[in-house]
């Protein structure tokens, strides 16, 4: 189960729009920085394909200026 964290920068004046767009995506949690035009985005998906689809959805958001992965790891599912 891939879990990744990103720093997301919005276009100027588009922070709230970006928060709303990211928050509407499943498997995606958004934490806004209090003093910068910066968002922390944490994703938690069921597998590699779902993770790739979610990343493509995030990158397609118009208010997103820059997305940088900070950390990522894959934990095996318990059977």
């Amino acid at each position: 189960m891939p879990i990744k964290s990103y720093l997301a920068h919005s276009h100027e004046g588009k922070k709230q729009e970006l928060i709303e767009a990211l928050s509407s995506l499943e498997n995606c949690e958004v934490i806004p920085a209090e003093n910068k035009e910066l968002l922390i985005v944490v994703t938690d998906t069921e597998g590699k394909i779902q993770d790739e689809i979610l990343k493509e959805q995030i990158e397609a958001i118009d208010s997103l200026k820059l997305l940088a992965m900070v950390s990522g790891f894959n934990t095996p599912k318990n059977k």
Side-chain angles (χ1 to χ4, degrees):
M1 161 178 342
I3 300 172
K4 295 183 178 175
S5 61
Y6 299 90
L7 295 179
H9 297 267
S10 64
H11 287 286
E12 191 169 331
K14 302 282 187 168
K15 182 179 177 182
Q16 188 59 40
E17 185 179 320
L18 182 57
I19 290 170
E20 291 170 9
L22 289 167
S23 296
S24 72
L25 297 174
E26 287 188 39
N27 305 313
C28 189
E29 183 177 341
V30 181
I31 304 159
E34 293 180 15
N35 60 350
K36 299 285 183 190
E37 291 292 313
L38 177 69
L39 305 175
I40 300 158
V41 181
V42 179
T43 62
D44 182 3
T45 55
E46 293 297 321
K48 186 176 180 177
I49 293 172
Q50 187 182 25
D51 181 62
E52 290 173 3
I53 291 169
L54 180 57
K55 186 170 184 273
E56 288 175 6
Q57 290 174 328
I58 293 170
E59 290 174 337
I61 297 172
D62 290 334
S63 54
L64 178 69
K65 181 177 182 179
L66 175 71
L67 183 70
M69 187 170 66
V70 176
S71 176
F73 61 93
N74 190 9
T75 58
K77 284 187 178 181
N78 292 335
K79 293 183 180 181

